[in-house]
Amino acid sequence: NNNNNSNNNNSILNLILDKESQQLCNQAKLVFSKIELLKKSAKQGENKTNSNNLTPQQLFSLQLLIQYGYFIQILHLEQPGVPSLLEDLLHIFEFMSTGKGYKEDEPTSIEVLTEILLSMLLEPSISVRQIVSFAFNSFASEMTMSSMDLLCDVLTRTEQEETSIFDLENEFERNIIIEETF
């Protein structure tokens, strides 16, 4: 009975998704299974899994992020021409779980993850922000100088924008005072 529900859900998804989205969603389902296996082996072993050095908390964070990307893909909430969040998250999982490295001129998986998490912070949903916070906490020990630079760039940009907003408000107030005196 459970298998019939799964097949019905798959056929409905196949009707509403294009081929590329179907493939990504199928890959995500496989990754969900892999994550469950890795979490089970991590519970049996020590705090880190043997093959990939991901903690159970990191695995859970990746699982949450991939589920979020999966739902974004299904609901067609991504903007056209923008690389798929789900695709990026699946690549990150592959690199982190297998220990494969990126090419020298490419950003590392933690840098890509940091960029994704920072972009997700722009979402108005409190739940999404909580997922991002959990993921940052899970991967804080893995942060590199480059990923820290990404965080600092965002903070610096935000401080500069706030400063310029306050400057505009002060200028506006000065103009009002000047107009009132004349």
Side-chain angles (χ1 to χ4, degrees):
N1 192 22
N2 196 16
N3 219 3
N4 270 343
N5 287 340
S6 179
N7 287 337
N8 288 339
N9 290 341
N10 284 338
S11 61
I12 292 170
L13 285 179
N14 290 340
L15 290 174
I16 61 173
L17 297 176
D18 60 21
K19 290 284 184 199
E20 184 180 336
S21 292
Q22 288 174 23
Q23 289 174 337
L24 284 172
C25 288
N26 288 335
Q27 286 176 344
K29 290 175 187 176
L30 291 172
V31 166
F32 294 147
S33 299
K34 286 180 187 176
I35 288 174
E36 286 304 316
L37 289 173
L38 290 171
K39 286 189 331 189
K40 284 180 186 175
S41 68
K43 284 180 185 176
Q44 293 170 353
E46 297 211 1
N47 199 21
K48 295 228 179 208
T49 59
N50 294 333
S51 61
N52 58 22
N53 262 359
L54 291 171
T55 66
Q57 185 176 356
Q58 290 171 333
L59 288 168
F60 185 66
S61 291
L62 286 171
Q63 184 177 22
L64 285 175
L65 292 169
I66 292 170
Q67 285 173 339
Y68 174 75
Y70 179 81
F71 290 118
I72 295 294
Q73 190 78 35
I74 289 174
L75 298 173
H76 303 288
L77 296 176
E78 301 219 298
Q79 297 176 1
V82 176
S84 166
L85 172 66
L86 179 57
E87 188 174 7
D88 287 344
L89 290 167
L90 291 172
H91 286 296
I92 288 170
F93 174 77
E94 179 185 337
F95 283 106
M96 287 185 164
S97 66
T98 61
K100 289 182 184 175
Y102 283 86
K103 294 177 184 169
E104 197 170 306
D105 60 337
E106 293 179 334
T108 63
S109 53
I110 195 68
E111 291 168 358
V112 175
L113 181 61
T114 301
E115 288 181 12
I116 289 171
L117 294 175
L118 288 171
S119 70
M120 288 174 65
L121 281 175
L122 298 174
E123 295 293 323
S125 168
I126 292 172
S127 299
V128 172
R129 290 190 192 135
Q130 288 173 333
I131 291 170
V132 169
S133 177
F134 183 77
F136 269 127
N137 286 330
S138 299
F139 289 97
S141 64
E142 308 295 322
M143 299 290 279
T144 63
M145 285 303 290
S146 297
S147 56
M148 294 299 286
D149 285 343
L150 292 170
L151 288 171
C152 292
D153 287 347
V154 169
L155 292 174
T156 303
R157 233 179 307 141
T158 304
E159 286 176 6
Q160 288 172 349
E161 288 170 4
E162 286 176 5
T163 302
S164 64
I165 290 170
F166 290 127
D167 289 344
L168 289 174
E169 287 176 356
N170 290 338
E171 184 68 29
F172 181 72
E173 288 173 5
R174 275 188 244 129
N175 286 339
I176 291 175
I177 292 171
I178 291 172
E179 289 176 7
E180 288 176 353
T181 57
F182 289 105

